[in-house]
Each structure stands twice: as C-alpha cells, then as structure tokens.
Amino acid sequence: MKKLCLLGLFVSLASQSVLADNLPAPIENKDAFISNLMKQMTLEEKIGQLRLISIGPEMPREMIRKEIAAGNIGGTFNSITRDENRPMQDAAMRSRLKIPMFFAYDVIHGHRTIFPIPLALASSWDMDAIYHSGRIAAQEAAADSLDITFAPMVDISRDPRWGRTSEGFGEDTYLVSRIAGVMVKAFQGNGANAADSIMASVKHFALYGAVEGGRDYNTVDMSPVKMYQDYLPPYRAAIDAGAGGVMVALNSINGVPATANTWLMHDLLRKEWGFKGLAVSDHGAIFELIKHGVARDGREAAKLAIKAGIDMSMNDSLYGKELPGLLKSGEIEQSDIDNAVREVLAAKYDMGLFKDPYLRIGKAEDDPADTYAESRLHRADARDVARRSLVLLENRNQTLPLKKSAKIALVGPLAKAPIDMMGSWAAAGRPAQSVTLFDGMTRALGAESKLVYARGANITGDKKVLDYLNFLNFDAPEVVDDPRPAQVLIDEAVKAAKDADVVVAAVGESRGMSHESSSRTELNIPASQRELIKALKATGKPLVLVLMNGRPLSLLEEQQQADAILETWFSGTEGGNAIADVLFGDYNPSGKLPITFPRSVGQIPTYYNHLSIGRPFTPGKPGNYTSQYFDDITGPLYPFGYGLSYTEFSLSDMALSSTTLNKTGKLDASVTLENTGKRDGETVVQLYIQDVTGSIIRPVKELKNFRKVMLKAGEKKVIHFTITEDDLKFFNAQLQYAAEPGKFNVQIGLDSQDVKQQSFELL
C-alpha cells in the first residue's frame, strides 16, 4: 500500500511538471510567448502560417475557412469588410492552437475616403497634411477589420514612363525618405496594436522604381554607391520609423531576383539595418523565380525564397506544397522555417491579435448598417489635402482665378470621370462617391451657374489602348467612349468655347494609364485630346488646362497653347471640389513638383540632382562638345520643386552665420521671404547643398531641407536652416557614410533652379 501511495504521488508530481511545461508563457513576454507557441506547433501548422492567400476564384471562401480551421493559412488579403473577415477569424479560433489570422489590403492613399495619389501628396510638401491622410486611411481601414497595409510605396522614380510613378512620392531621396517615415507613423499611430491603427509594410524592396526603360517588372542593374546614396534610404527611413513589414520587389537586382536575393534580405535588411519584422513576397513572386531563370521548378523556387528570408508567400502556391519535402530531403533546415514562422507570429503579436483576435473586427451587432454609408467618409479632410496638392504650372495674364460671373465652357473627357478622379489603387473607394470636376465647378458657381459642358474628345482614339485599359474590368468597362465621330465631338466643344468667356479643358490620362504594368513609350497627352486642345486654342478664348495624370507628361505644345495650366494629378474623392476651390480663387495654390517634367520622352532620365560631369552644357554658350541635346533645349520643361501661386514671393540674398563649419558645429543659413503680391499665400522654401569636390563625383545639388510657409500679403519672414556635418555625409566608394572636408555651396530657392547661393568650408 505504501509503495502504491508513493507511486501515485510520483505520477501526480510528474503530471504537474508536464502541465507546467505546457503552460502558456505570459502574453506580456513577447519572445517567451512566441517560443512557447512554436514548441506546440506541428510542421504543417508552421508552414500554414507562411501562406498569405488571395481571396478569389482560385480558392473560394468555403475552402479558405476549411483550410484556416486546419491551420493551413496565416493571413488573407482582398477581403475588406467585417462580415467577410469575421467568419475567417472564427475558423482560426476553431483551429487546434487558435492562432489568429491577419487581414491585409493595399491601402495606399486612402481606404474609403480616397486622398490624392501619392505623387500628388508629395506635391503638397506638407508633412502634416500627408500624415493626416495616412491617419484617416488607417482609421477607416481598421474600422473595416484590416490589420496591415502594403504601403507606403517609397520607390524612387526617375523614369516617368513607369506606370507606378503615380504610386510613389517622386524622384528625390530626401523628400521621399521624409514622407516614408511620416506615412509609417500615420498608419501605425501610437502602435500597430491599437484598434484604430494598421501595420505598415513598406514596398517594394528594393530599387523597383529603377526598372530598365521604365518597363514594369524589368531588371535593375545598379552600382552599390547609387543604391546606397539614392535608392535605398527611403526604405531605411520607413524601417527606422518602425514599419512592421516589408514587401519584396518583383524585379531582379544585379542579376538576382529580390525574392531570392540573400544579400538583399539577410545581409542588408536584417544584419546591416537590423530589421526584425515581416518580409512578404509580392503577388506570385516565388513562382516567378522559374520565369526569371534562377529556379528549375517550383521546388527550387520555394527553396531559394525561404533560404533568402521570404517569410510569407503572397498568393501561395509553393510554400504549402514544397516546404515539407524540402525539409525532409535536407535541402532546407528546420531553422529556415522556424525563423519565418517566428516573424509571422511576431507581426500578429505586434498587431495586437493574440490579445484580441477580433480587435478590428469587433462584434457583429456593432457592424455599420451600411458599409458604404456617406457618414463613414472624411470629405472635409480629403478636400483640404487635395487643395494643398495642386500645382499651378502656368498663369499668363492672371487668367486664374476665374470669375464666378464668367460664362465658362468646361470640356474634355476627364471633366465627368468619377473613377479617374480617384486614381490607381483606390482601395475601397467608390466612384459614385467621388466628386468630378463638373460637379465641383457646378457647386462652386451655384444657382447662377453659366457653365456649359461638352465632352470634346474621348480619352484615346487608339482602340488597342482602349482595349488594354478595359481588359481587367470584368463587370463593366472602365473607360467608356462617346460613340460619335471625333470631329463631331470637337465641333460641339468649339461651339461651346466660342459662346463662353473662358474655356476649361480637363485633359490627360485615364487612371489606368498610370497604374501597375501601364508603362508608356511616350508621355504626350493622347492624340485625340491634343486635337481638341488645338481646336480650342484656335477659338482665341482664354484656355485653362486642368491636367489629370499620374506621371509627368510632355507638355511642350500645351505650354504654348494654354493661358493657364493646373496640375491636379488624380486628386481623390473630393477632387472636383478641391480643383474648383483653386480655379475660382477660394484657395491659393501652393503645391510644388516632387518630380521633374521633361520637355520630351527623349530626355529621360532627367532629374535635378544628377552627377557632375566633365563637359556640362551651359545655357547661352555654344553647345558643341558639351553634354546636350542639339535638337532641343537641354533642361526640363518644369524643374523639381517648381510651382506658382496667385501671389508673388521674393527671397533676399542668403546670409551664412559663418564661412566655415567644424565637424561638431552648426551653421545657420537664412533668407528673408516676402509676399510681394496682393493675396495671402503659402510657398515652399527649399535648401539645397552641393559638395563641390569629393572623393567620388557628387551631384550638382541635393535637397537637404525645406519649409512650407504661409505669409499674408506684404508680410516678410526670416527663414532659418541649420546645417550640420550630417547634412554633408554621403556614401563613398567603400560605402562608408561620412562627410569630407572641403568647399560646399548652399542654395536656397523656391524651386531647384531659381536659387540664391553662398559657400562655406567644412574643416
């Protein structure tokens, strides 16, 4: 009996020990919690966490829920409402370990309320406005049960033939880096675990904006110095701001696809930069390693990706199928899988999903009665941000602002284009809720409106282009032509113009022309619209061009034809009202270009901060044996940083606090900005620095700071910029980030060309 009692006591103590070993770690201890969870996971459950599944016909919702309950899916994307996502999270809670799902979406420039496209946001040079747009986007997305966005897109773009130029913030490393950090903080708010925030996943890592020929998905071949100096800093800025995720680019880098690039993902991202977050492939990118020619088959593609450090396979077809066999054969190690699983679980932890899987889904009884209700939009905010993003390019004879008493002819295929107003990647925005230019102008003019509308032209007369633009729109064509002959449309517009005091022509691109895979071989406004502009010019009436586009266009002819040009990009849900505010002078435009406008496509690439060369062209001097185009003016049509106002601004000569700077010191550069016009207005004062002599060739100038300033008519203000050694650092040939002693030129101006200059010496 005594032996039996002792045996029972031993069994009881052993059972308690086993139970203690299996007790979950406190959720407050992130590392211990995740390690304990991973110890309980089977291989199948681990691999399931690495699969990011697209909602679509290839995997119906019923099958997805079944797979989730079996622990075979880690997250989904493209399901964007609470009632869509709640059943999937319910399925996750029925799984063995109850590991929550996350739900992802491309929230790029707004969710339900669509703000201006990123290129337009950058045109505001207004970090508060940009932050505000991102914060609202996050709040709306979180309210719809989304946990993570594949944004911001911070690829430097210096070839506007690339369709995704519209999705980024322009050509300049400093400006894009500033915005990258702002957008990450806006999306993630006080933390990615907050109910009104979403995790940011910066993209496309890396160098995607430098694809050869501006052709999407193409190769990138780039020197390490150029990478580190010009193209990598925006990603680093987003990561330093706390971005929880990185989406990996579709392009190759110096012969190795990013999705299989161990140097990029391990050596640079994780070791050198210390990134601890989630790395996600782009859509189908792992399978595409076969087409790249670096993988023989799907098995090898999965091996290359997991060993490179791709944690999650977006739209997975290979991780789930191939990883078990690769592990069994010894071609990959358990640590390859475990490292990826740990990052997925850590991201879910950071999103707050382990504490509350329904953090953003909420309770069914709290779901909005109407997901698309007008009350869920932030119209006033969208209107304000859109106004700040508009850039006045021309305004001869003070054609703008328009008088509300004038009889106005509004023409052009984009005057009544609600879907185009939203631009590409418009998330959950609805065209029916966007304000067209016609709507905005009509409201601004009120009951006494003398607005006459005529379409004037179709977007394009090229059927091949039209078919391309409508290819992916299964429910209804996105671009709908007026079936009447082109000349009939022009004649109707000319008649309206002749009867009007002034003509406003809404011209440019449809949104599908500035989108993923929408690369162009030319940058002209389509021929059908150019014929319309030519006919309108011939009427002799003042002509205002309202441009809608997602990239710089070649506007050489239009610059000569138009009396005023307003660049509105694709300005979002409230675009029509915002544009009308500027056209009628209810808002004074203050936007500045974040990207250079070339005179023609033949000048590309043309960007302001190009490297110094041995035979530079000097305007006004003979061009022979200098770097020039002999058949046109060398230089841009509109430079980086350029934009007009309805008032006038002047800058005094610059004052430097010293002509020398030591390595631990500070130098003050100041100018007096004066509003010399008759209206209150804002402008952007820009600071550029040139390293005159370096160990390697340096740019002719680089943006190093800027300040957006509001002045009343006649007001003056002294603008100060502080310069330190950090502003002078660059990556040298050994990829060391350091400043070198020598002469520096400081330039301050209202764009990158029209500047005041002084010099100092770094000791």
Side-chain angles (χ1 to χ4, degrees):
M1 178 68 74
K2 188 175 181 181
K3 287 183 179 179
L4 286 174
C5 289
L6 288 172
L7 179 62
L9 178 62
F10 175 78
V11 170
S12 175
L13 290 171
S15 299
Q16 291 177 33
S17 176
V18 170
L19 287 172
D21 287 343
N22 287 325
L23 284 175
I27 198 166
E28 289 75 18
N29 187 328
K30 175 182 174 181
D31 291 339
F33 176 82
I34 291 171
S35 294
N36 184 73
L37 181 58
M38 288 182 65
K39 289 176 184 176
Q40 302 174 58
M41 296 173 73
T42 65
L43 174 63
E44 290 74 19
E45 288 168 333
K46 287 180 177 180
I47 293 173
Q49 288 299 305
L50 310 185
R51 305 183 67 226
L52 179 60
I53 299 302
S54 174
I55 302 293
E58 65 273 9
M59 189 175 281
R61 295 182 189 279
E62 296 76 14
M63 183 184 296
I64 285 179
R65 289 195 288 267
K66 183 177 179 181
E67 288 285 286
I68 292 170
N72 294 333
I73 294 175
T76 67
F77 65 103
N78 289 341
S79 56
I80 57 170
T81 61
R82 293 182 177 200
D83 58 356
E84 288 177 298
N85 291 335
R86 186 176 292 108
M88 288 189 279
Q89 197 68 289
D90 290 343
M93 294 301 101
R94 294 194 299 271
S95 67
R96 189 177 74 90
L97 294 175
K98 297 179 172 52
I99 298 174
M101 294 282 293
F102 72 68
F103 304 101
Y105 197 42
D106 286 293
V107 180
I108 308 296
H109 55 107
H111 179 61
R112 296 208 173 276
T113 307
I114 305 304
F115 287 87
I117 60 171
L119 194 62
L121 290 175
S123 297
S124 73
W125 295 57
D126 188 325
M127 299 301 109
D128 291 339
I130 292 170
Y131 177 88
H132 194 54
S133 75
R135 189 86 279 275
I136 288 173
Q139 291 167 345
E140 290 186 355
D144 273 355
S145 74
L146 295 173
D147 302 300
I148 184 171
T149 176
F150 301 121
M153 193 280 244
V154 300
D155 304 323
I156 295 293
S157 176
R158 293 177 174 175
D159 189 336
R161 291 174 296 181
W162 190 44
R164 301 192 84 163
T165 297
S166 62
E167 200 180 329
F169 301 109
E171 73 182 37
D172 181 66
T173 305
Y174 176 81
L175 179 59
V176 176
S177 296
R178 283 274 300 267
I179 298 172
V182 166
M183 287 299 288
V184 167
K185 291 176 181 176
F187 285 138
Q188 298 188 170
N190 293 324
N193 60 348
D196 66 347
S197 294
I198 55 177
M199 181 173 281
S201 183
V202 63
K203 66 183 183 185
H204 305 85
F205 190 67
L207 319 183
Y208 193 27
V211 285
E212 283 189 1
R215 199 169 73 248
D216 215 352
Y217 320 124
N218 208 357
T219 59
V220 174
D221 201 301
M222 185 182 292
S223 73
V225 169
K226 192 169 187 178
M227 275 190 217
Y228 276 76
Q229 192 67 40
D230 296 343
Y231 283 82
L232 291 176
Y235 310 110
R236 179 70 183 271
I239 289 165
D240 288 347
V246 164
M247 181 194 277
V248 184
L250 292 163
N251 56 279
S252 61
I253 298 171
N254 296 344
V256 182
T259 310
N261 199 313
T262 303
W263 168 80
L264 181 73
M265 301 305 300
H266 272 309
D267 299 346
L268 179 67
L269 180 63
R270 296 202 182 274
K271 291 182 182 178
E272 187 174 329
W273 291 2
F275 178 65
K276 303 294 185 183
L278 178 66
V280 183
S281 80
D282 206 334
H283 192 284
I286 296 175
F287 181 82
E288 290 169 14
L289 293 175
I290 302 170
K291 294 182 180 179
H292 274 291
V294 298
R296 291 187 301 272
D297 51 26
R299 182 183 180 89
E300 187 173 15
K303 172 185 172 182
L304 289 171
I306 195 73
K307 292 193 79 65
I310 307 301
D311 300 324
M312 286 195 96
S313 171
M314 183 186 289
N315 197 35
D316 179 61
S317 63
L318 294 177
Y319 270 12
K321 178 182 177 183
E322 302 293 353
L323 291 184
L326 287 166
L327 181 64
K328 186 176 181 180
S329 69
E331 294 176 72
I332 64 172
E333 299 175 4
Q334 184 66 48
S335 61
D336 294 321
I337 294 174
D338 286 352
N339 289 340
V341 173
R342 189 173 289 106
E343 299 301 351
V344 175
L345 298 178
K348 291 182 177 183
Y349 184 99
D350 291 342
M351 294 175 200
L353 295 175
F354 281 109
K355 285 188 176 180
D356 182 1
Y358 298 91
L359 178 65
R360 298 175 186 86
I361 297 173
K363 299 177 181 178
E365 56 265 32
D366 296 328
D367 286 356
D370 178 6
T371 298
Y372 303 96
E374 178 68 27
S375 60
R376 303 190 76 206
L377 301 182
H378 293 78
R379 288 195 177 274
D381 305 277
R383 184 171 183 167
D384 181 59
V385 173
R387 295 187 304 191
R388 295 172 187 274
S389 72
L390 307 185
V391 185
L392 183 62
L393 299 178
E394 298 286 347
N395 194 22
R396 297 185 181 95
N397 302 317
Q398 296 183 318
T399 301
L400 293 178
L402 301 174
K403 294 180 174 62
K404 292 184 179 179
S405 60
K407 185 174 184 181
I408 302 169
L410 174 61
V411 302
L414 292 166
K416 291 184 176 181
I419 195 167
D420 295 307
M421 190 64 76
M422 298 192 303
S424 64
W425 298 108
R430 288 202 150 186
Q433 292 179 315
S434 66
V435 179
T436 68
L437 180 56
F438 176 83
D439 296 334
M441 293 182 69
T442 299
R443 291 173 189 173
L445 290 169
E448 304 301 318
S449 173
K450 298 178 183 178
L451 186 69
V452 179
Y453 166 77
R455 183 179 177 95
N458 288 316
I459 288 288
T460 177
D462 188 329
K463 186 179 183 303
K464 182 180 177 182
V465 172
L466 183 65
D467 290 344
Y468 169 80
L469 295 173
N470 287 328
F471 175 71
L472 291 178
N473 296 281
F474 304 111
D475 297 330
E478 187 165 298
V479 180
V480 180
D481 270 355
D482 187 316
R484 293 177 292 169
Q487 192 58 50
V488 171
L489 295 177
I490 289 177
D491 290 345
E492 183 179 70
V494 167
K495 182 178 184 300
K498 287 180 177 178
D499 291 338
D501 299 317
V502 63
V503 182
V504 175
V507 294
E509 301 178 309
S510 70
R511 71 168 187 169
M513 297 172 78
S514 279
H515 197 280
E516 182 176 354
S517 83
S518 293
S519 300
R520 295 184 63 185
T521 59
E522 63 174 40
L523 298 176
N524 296 320
I525 293 173
S528 57
Q529 298 179 62
R530 295 203 307 273
E531 288 300 314
L532 170 63
I533 295 169
K534 183 178 178 181
L536 294 173
K537 175 65 176 176
T539 66
K541 295 300 177 75
L543 176 60
V544 177
L545 297 186
V546 172
L547 299 176
M548 298 183 191
N549 45 294
R551 51 157 65 86
L553 298 176
S554 298
L555 301 170
L556 201 54
E557 288 185 2
E558 290 77 13
Q559 183 196 44
Q560 302 304 315
Q561 293 165 325
D563 296 284
I565 302 177
L566 182 65
E567 175 59 84
T568 71
W569 310 107
F570 297 117
S571 46
T573 300
E574 279 288 304
N577 286 332
I579 297 168
D581 287 341
V582 170
L583 289 177
F584 291 112
D586 296 319
Y587 190 89
N588 190 352
S590 59
K592 300 280 188 175
L593 294 178
I595 192 168
T596 302
F597 272 48
R599 296 175 65 82
S600 70
V601 73
Q603 287 185 319
I604 294 170
T606 178
Y607 49 93
Y608 85 93
N609 53 345
H610 57 85
L611 296 178
S612 299
I613 57 175
R615 294 187 177 186
F617 172 76
T618 303
K621 294 187 177 181
N624 287 11
Y625 304 107
T626 64
S627 184
Q628 50 131 10
Y629 296 104
F630 74 84
D631 57 346
D632 196 1
I633 295 172
T634 300
L637 185 65
Y638 298 113
F640 175 84
Y642 173 84
L644 303 176
S645 169
Y646 291 154
T647 191
E648 299 291 330
F649 295 95
S650 68
L651 287 176
S652 69
D653 289 335
M654 187 196 318
L656 291 182
S657 59
S658 174
T659 57
T660 60
L661 174 66
N662 63 48
K663 287 183 174 293
T664 59
K666 295 180 180 180
L667 187 151
D668 179 82
S670 62
V671 293
T672 299
L673 174 69
E674 182 177 3
N675 182 344
T676 59
K678 298 178 181 179
R679 295 181 55 127
D680 300 348
E682 269 186 306
T683 192
V684 181
V685 183
Q686 303 158 37
L687 173 76
Y688 298 88
I689 294 180
Q690 180 192 16
D691 188 347
V692 179
T693 307
S695 59
I696 60 174
I697 298 171
R698 303 288 291 121
V700 295
K701 65 181 68 180
E702 294 175 290
L703 181 70
K704 291 295 181 179
N705 209 339
F706 58 86
R707 193 155 300 138
K708 195 160 191 178
V709 183
M710 168 64 81
L711 292 181
K712 296 182 181 298
E715 185 181 0
K716 296 180 181 180
K717 188 173 185 179
V718 179
I719 310 298
H720 293 272
F721 293 104
T722 299
I723 300 170
T724 69
E725 185 197 21
D726 284 343
D727 297 307
L728 313 178
K729 291 179 179 178
F730 67 98
F731 289 96
N732 61 25
Q734 290 74 43
L735 297 183
Q736 298 165 329
Y737 189 60
E740 297 175 349
K743 180 182 177 182
F744 290 83
N745 291 329
V746 186
Q747 300 176 351
I748 298 179
L750 301 181
D751 63 53
S752 60
Q753 286 190 343
D754 186 11
V755 295
K756 307 290 185 178
Q757 180 171 301
Q758 292 284 359
S759 301
F760 70 92
E761 192 91 8
L762 177 66
L763 302 177

